[in-house]
Amino acid sequence: MIRRLLATIEPYVLMLLATVLIATLLPPRGVGVRVFDLAADTAIVALFFVHGAKLSRSALLAGARHWRLHAAILATSFVLFPLLGLAIAGSGLPSPSLATGLLFLTLLPSTVQSSIAFTAIARGNVAAAVCSASLSNLLGIAVTPALAALLLPGTGGVELSFGSVRAIVLQLLVPFAAGHMLRPWIGAWIAARKRLVTTLDRGSILLVVYTAFGAAVSQGLWSQVGALELAELVGWCALLLTVVLVLTGVMARAMKLAPEDAVVMRFCGSKKSLATGVPMAGVLFPPAQVGVVLLPVMVFHQLQLIACAFLARRLADAVEAEPAMPGAVASG
C-alpha cells in the first residue's frame, strides 16, 4: 500500500518541492518578473475556464440533492476552519506574518481537482464531490475576501476595495462562468483529454508557486522566516489538517451520512485551494507581504496531498475488502 501511495503522489510532491527550491535559488528578476506574473495569471484564468467547462449540469443536479452534505462542507470550510485559524493566530506564533498567513489559509475555499480525484480513488460519491467543490470555489470568490476584510485588518492590513473585488471576479469568476457557458461546444473535447486537464491543473499550480515564492524570496522571505519558525509552521499546518480530518469524520458519523457521502465530507471539507489562494493573496495583501502570507498555504497544500492520498488509498482498500468478508465467513 505504501508503494502504491508513493507512486501516486511522490512525483507531484517532488515537483512542488523542486519548484520551491528553484524559486529560492533562481527567482524571477527584471523583465522575468512581469513575464512570469503574466504567465501565472494566464494559467489561473485557463484553469478556472477549464473547471467551468468540466462542470456537468447533470452531475451538478445529481449532486445538488445532497444539500445537508454540501451545507456541512461549506460550514467546515468557512466556519470551522476560520475558528481554528483564529485560535492558532492567537496562540503566540513567533511571526505575526505567519499567523496572518495561517489565518488567511483557513478562509480559502476547497480545492476542485484533487478533492474530486481523491473522492474517486476512495470510491466516494463523485457527483456530490463535483457539486460541493465547485460550489465552495464559487462562493469562495465572494466569501473569502469578505472574511479576510472582517478577520484580518488587525493582523494583516487587508482592505477590501472595489478594485480588489473586480480583480478577483475577472480572474476567477468570469473565466469559470465563460467555460461553463461554452460547455455544450467544448465540454466533450475537454472531457476526452483528462491528461491535458491534469497537466494544466498541476502545471498552473507549479507556475503560480514559482512566481509567488520567487517574488517572496526577492522580498527577503528567508530573512523574515527562520528554520525554527518554518518547522513550527509545518507543525501547525499538520495539526490543523489532522484536527479537521478527525472532525469531518465525526461530523459524517453524527449526520449518519452514507459511506460514499462521508468520503466527500472528508476530502472536500479538509482541503484548501492554492490555485484560489495565490491570486487572492496577490490582490488583498501588499507585494512585500504576499510571500510570507502564502507560505502556510503552500505548506498546507503539500501536507493535504500526502495525507489525503494515504487516506484515499486506505478507504479504497476497505471498500474492496468488504465483498470478500461474507465469503470468508461462509468458508469457515
Side-chain angles (χ1 to χ4, degrees):
M1 183 174 66
I2 294 177
R3 186 176 299 174
R4 281 196 299 162
L5 168 66
L6 292 176
T8 301
I9 67 169
E10 185 179 9
Y12 184 45
V13 172
L14 288 178
M15 284 189 288
L16 281 166
L17 294 174
T19 300
V20 170
L21 179 61
I22 294 171
T24 298
L25 298 176
L26 298 170
R29 300 184 185 278
V31 177
V33 174
R34 294 193 294 274
V35 172
F36 277 101
D37 281 344
L38 179 60
D41 290 345
T42 302
I44 292 295
V45 169
L47 178 62
F48 275 80
F49 177 85
V50 169
H51 281 320
K54 283 177 57 184
L55 182 58
S56 166
R57 294 183 187 179
S58 59
L60 186 61
L61 292 174
R65 68 175 183 268
H66 300 274
W67 64 268
R68 291 174 62 247
L69 172 64
H70 303 318
I73 291 172
L74 291 174
T76 301
S77 295
F78 298 121
V79 179
L80 175 61
F81 254 115
L83 289 175
L84 293 173
L86 286 171
I88 293 174
S91 64
L93 281 172
S95 169
S97 294
L98 288 180
T100 298
L102 273 165
L103 183 52
F104 175 69
L105 156 70
T106 64
L107 310 182
L108 293 173
S110 179
T111 61
V112 176
Q113 187 81 355
S114 59
S115 292
I116 296 169
F118 287 133
T119 298
I121 291 171
R123 310 294 193 271
N125 187 337
V126 175
V130 170
C131 181
S132 191
S134 301
L135 180 60
S136 178
N137 268 256
L138 285 173
L139 292 178
I141 293 173
V143 174
T144 296
L147 287 175
L150 178 65
L151 301 178
L152 287 173
T155 55
V158 171
E159 293 184 4
L160 191 60
S161 64
F162 174 77
S164 62
V165 172
R166 181 180 61 183
I168 292 170
V169 168
L170 289 177
Q171 194 170 10
L172 304 181
L173 181 59
V174 170
F176 188 96
H180 191 60
M181 290 177 62
L182 291 174
R183 175 177 167 77
W185 295 278
I186 65 175
W189 186 88
I190 289 177
R193 288 161 176 80
K194 294 183 179 180
R195 182 173 296 180
L196 176 62
V197 174
T198 300
T199 300
L200 173 63
D201 183 77
R202 295 186 173 188
S204 62
I205 295 296
L206 294 175
L207 183 57
V208 297
V209 166
Y210 173 75
T211 303
F213 207 84
V217 170
S218 298
Q219 295 286 343
L221 172 65
W222 296 124
S223 64
Q224 303 175 54
V225 180
L228 182 60
E229 289 177 318
L230 183 60
E232 186 170 359
L233 173 62
V234 172
W236 278 116
C237 287
L239 177 62
L240 177 63
L241 180 60
T242 301
V243 169
V244 173
L245 282 172
V246 170
L247 290 179
T248 50
V250 171
M251 291 170 63
R253 288 191 294 272
M255 296 172 63
K256 298 181 179 179
L257 295 177
E260 61 272 18
D261 291 339
V263 168
V264 180
M265 181 74 189
R266 299 290 289 277
F267 291 125
C268 292
S270 65
K271 295 289 190 59
K272 290 295 178 180
S273 175
L274 179 62
T276 303
V278 170
M280 283 194 177
V283 170
L284 296 174
F285 294 93
Q289 193 180 4
V290 169
V292 181
V293 168
L294 282 176
L295 187 58
V297 184
M298 289 186 278
V299 170
F300 190 88
H301 180 79
Q302 298 197 51
L303 291 178
Q304 73 184 10
L305 287 176
I306 296 170
C308 290
F310 175 80
L311 180 60
R313 289 297 181 185
R314 185 176 177 181
L315 292 172
D317 290 341
V319 171
E320 291 171 0
E322 284 180 1
M325 292 176 63
V329 173
S331 64

